[in-house]
Amino acid sequence: MGHTRKALRTTAEGAVSATLISGSALGLAPTAHAADGIRFVDITGDGGTVLKANVITPAGADSTHRHPLLVLPTSWGLPQAEYLAQAQKLANSGYVVVSYNVRGFWQSGGEIEVAGPPDIADASRVIDWALANTPADSRHIGMAGVSYGAGISLLAAAHDKRIKAVAALSGWADLIGSIYSGRTQHVQAAALLDGASLVTGRQAPEVRQVFNDFYASNLAKEQDLINWGKKRSPATYVDQLNQNGAAVMMANAWGDTIFPPNQYADFYEKLKGPKRLELRPGDHATAELTGLLGLPNDVWTDTGRWFDHYLKGVDNGVDREQPVRLTSRSTGGYEGYPDWKSVAATERKIALGGTTTIHTNIDSGADGGIVFLSSILDQVAKLPPVASIPLLPRRWAAVWQSQKYGTVQQIRGTARLHTTVTPTKESGTLVAYLYDVGPLGLGKLVSNAPYTFHGLTPGKPFGLDLELFSTAYDVPAGHRLALVVDTVDPLYIEHNPSGARLTFSSPADDPSYVSIPLREQ
């Protein structure tokens, strides 16, 4: 695991630098957008913990008139100045806005609980304070946030009936499904969160132990980790959220390397009240970043429209628009759908015939990229991670390719791999990649996903069904798709014993394939 530890150190150092740079940039917001309505206050949270907060009220607001309230918990590792630019805009349009630094970070008291019960109780205490100390209307309360603030907002809405609307931007619905999907540790994502919190906050002992067990691949603690994550996952409380009836808007990026879009899409389908799902190119929180700096931003514009309708009753048409709104990584154009199931009108299977054996423990050259950097390059320059498919060493990579397509293939939604695997050891990890392959054999990454198994019988085949991360990508005419499977990727911790091999087969009574979701054409 020496390579894993080195990756952890490198990623943590990068995370710390990125966090400090982001915090410094956001710290410019108070000067650029300062107004007489801004107050910096202390709010007593759960158990007496002091939460550092700021309050912005509409110009001329007084106790004779009540205004809808918006509560904004900060993102992981960022200071309370994070939302000032957007808070000022929202206050200018008639909201009382209270933003607070979540417990354990920066100057707020307490320890980091990772959206645990004290964090959820804090959100309610902030609402209590705002109703007692500002001209906020108890009948019209909303919550919003980016990343950590998004998760806390969803959890709070499930536990506090006073919250009528939520905008959860780049957040999570399933914490374990995000950083432990396919029973595989997303190590770069975890190291980024860990490193940022060590610099900007104070971890609770339980949180430190969770990180340690996560890195150590401690299977004896696996169920404890899952239970810990479920307690902090909005998906666990979806029935409560539906019963409370809050209007929920969620936005995320296709390339989010911390909270992949699949878990948001699955959660969206379970919501029964007013809801909206927006997915764009980019990585974690990159789609919202320009808005935090006070620049024009589609995500924040839609957030304002969402609250205007569901908290102020403005007839702006947001409730009549197609609720699922996607932006293609290839074209950048908006697409609307009535629900998530309608995103993929048809599915086309690529047969994975024959029998292929690969050796483990060597990176074949097919990779998911680098946390943040790769998806940002895809967002800005349409340059996802690439690999030369003909040159991938077949000793360490299994490769299947489709025929050339005569027309553009508009991939929308979630590709699914179905195959039969025979391991030579009881444990192992594999990573599946879907590539868009051009005429010269250069493959651009469309999607990927990891899978890990433990405790299986060596030499005994087992069926594997794996969802790749959801995406929207157009494969040009004349190109083909390739499915590549190898066993090592810097994004993930691998569990391949020395000398292990994996054999992929396609039995006649259960043929192997990858199912490609396609938009109606």
Side-chain angles (χ1 to χ4, degrees):
M1 290 294 182
H3 63 284
T4 299
R5 294 298 178 189
K6 182 177 180 181
L8 284 175
R9 288 195 300 271
T10 303
T11 305
E13 290 168 0
V16 170
S17 299
T19 300
L20 293 176
I21 292 170
S22 298
S24 299
L26 293 169
L28 295 175
T31 300
H33 301 277
D36 294 336
I38 298 176
R39 288 189 292 144
F40 292 90
V41 300
D42 290 349
I43 298 176
T44 301
D46 185 56
T49 297
V50 175
L51 305 174
K52 296 295 182 178
N54 56 71
V55 183
I56 306 181
T57 55
D62 56 38
S63 60
T64 63
H65 180 70
R66 294 289 167 178
H67 299 266
L69 169 66
L70 291 179
V71 175
L72 311 178
T74 52
S75 301
W76 185 272
L78 291 186
Q80 61 165 309
E82 176 184 7
Y83 299 116
L84 280 179
Q86 285 301 320
Q88 183 63 68
K89 291 183 179 181
L90 291 165
N92 289 343
S93 64
Y95 294 93
V96 172
V97 185
V98 180
S99 175
Y100 70 97
N101 238 128
V102 291
R103 65 171 53 224
F105 283 103
W106 293 85
Q107 294 176 312
S108 283
E111 297 176 319
I112 299 168
E113 301 283 349
V114 192
D119 291 300
I120 309 313
D122 283 345
S124 293
R125 298 294 82 76
V126 171
I127 292 173
D128 294 342
W129 182 93
L131 295 177
N133 294 276
T134 73
D137 187 342
S138 62
R139 301 167 301 169
H140 303 289
I141 299 172
M143 285 192 68
V146 176
S147 185
Y148 197 35
I152 290 175
S153 294
L154 285 172
L155 288 162
H159 288 82
D160 194 325
K161 295 180 180 180
R162 297 175 295 179
I163 301 169
K164 304 302 182 184
V166 172
L169 315 179
S170 290
W172 76 92
D174 182 348
L175 191 57
I176 296 302
S178 296
I179 62 172
Y180 193 55
S181 72
R183 212 177 174 187
T184 307
Q185 294 93 334
H186 296 211
V187 67
Q188 286 191 15
L192 187 148
L193 295 172
D194 188 11
S197 66
L198 288 173
V199 170
T200 63
R202 302 164 301 282
Q203 295 179 354
E206 180 187 29
V207 172
R208 182 66 260 156
Q209 189 60 52
V210 165
F211 274 118
N212 291 342
D213 292 339
F214 185 88
Y215 296 143
S217 307
N218 188 345
L219 289 178
K221 296 293 185 70
E222 183 181 37
Q223 191 57 51
D224 291 341
L225 172 68
I226 292 171
N227 293 340
W228 178 86
K230 283 185 176 180
K231 185 184 293 186
R232 292 158 169 82
S233 296
T236 302
Y237 310 101
V238 66
D239 290 341
Q240 292 174 223
L241 189 57
N242 286 333
Q243 184 176 356
N244 290 349
V248 177
M249 170 184 158
M250 300 185 296
N252 203 359
W254 294 119
D256 195 319
T257 43
I258 298 180
F259 304 130
N262 297 46
Q263 43 92 36
Y264 247 15
D266 292 343
F267 182 65
Y268 173 85
E269 288 292 89
K270 297 174 183 176
L271 293 174
K272 304 300 183 183
K275 58 184 179 178
R276 184 181 181 97
L277 176 65
E278 300 184 355
L279 294 169
R280 296 172 171 82
D283 205 310
H284 184 66
T286 61
E288 299 88 3
L289 181 59
T290 56
L292 292 176
L293 298 175
L295 301 174
N297 182 276
D298 289 347
V299 185
W300 285 103
T301 296
D302 288 347
T303 296
R305 295 177 64 232
W306 188 255
F307 286 133
D308 283 348
H309 180 75
Y310 287 103
L311 295 183
K312 295 167 63 176
V314 176
D315 185 12
N316 55 17
V318 73
D319 57 321
R320 297 187 295 275
E321 296 172 354
Q322 296 277 45
V324 175
R325 297 179 65 79
L326 313 181
T327 303
S328 168
R329 291 166 51 198
S330 304
T331 65
Y334 272 105
E335 302 167 5
Y337 300 87
D339 51 42
W340 178 250
K341 295 187 295 290
S342 301
V343 169
T346 61
E347 293 190 347
R348 175 174 292 172
K349 292 182 178 179
I350 300 174
L352 310 179
T355 298
T356 302
T357 298
I358 61 173
H359 293 70
T360 65
N361 297 304
I362 298 294
D363 189 340
S364 71
D367 285 326
I370 301 172
V371 65
F372 275 128
L373 178 60
S374 296
S375 293
I376 291 174
L377 284 173
D378 186 37
Q379 176 185 4
V380 174
K382 294 182 174 57
L383 292 175
V386 298
S388 175
I389 304 304
L391 296 182
L392 290 176
R394 275 25 180 199
R395 179 179 177 86
W396 296 297
V399 180
W400 299 267
Q401 295 191 69
S402 71
Q403 298 297 315
K404 289 183 180 179
Y405 295 112
T407 59
V408 174
Q409 303 296 296
Q410 295 181 309
I411 298 175
R412 298 292 185 273
T414 309
R416 294 173 173 85
L417 167 64
H418 174 76
T419 189
T420 297
V421 184
T422 304
T424 60
K425 305 288 184 179
E426 66 173 14
S427 297
T429 296
L430 59 90
V431 184
Y433 309 89
L434 187 65
Y435 284 100
D436 160 24
V437 184
L440 299 180
L442 185 66
K444 295 183 177 181
L445 186 65
V446 177
S447 184
N448 78 100
Y451 181 85
T452 294
F453 59 89
H454 296 287
L456 299 186
T457 302
K460 182 178 180 179
F462 68 91
L464 168 63
D465 288 285
L466 177 64
E467 287 191 351
L468 277 63
F469 300 136
S470 304
T471 194
Y473 183 97
D474 296 356
V475 179
H479 287 212
R480 65 182 78 212
L481 284 169
L483 182 81
V484 177
V485 179
D486 73 1
T487 63
V488 176
D489 189 305
L491 287 174
Y492 313 112
I493 290 180
E494 50 89 6
H495 300 267
N496 296 297
S498 179
R501 299 184 304 280
L502 299 176
T503 297
F504 301 91
S505 57
S506 183
D509 59 346
D510 186 20
S512 296
Y513 60 85
V514 58
S515 179
I516 308 299
L518 298 174
R519 182 187 184 193
E520 186 174 1
Q521 297 176 243

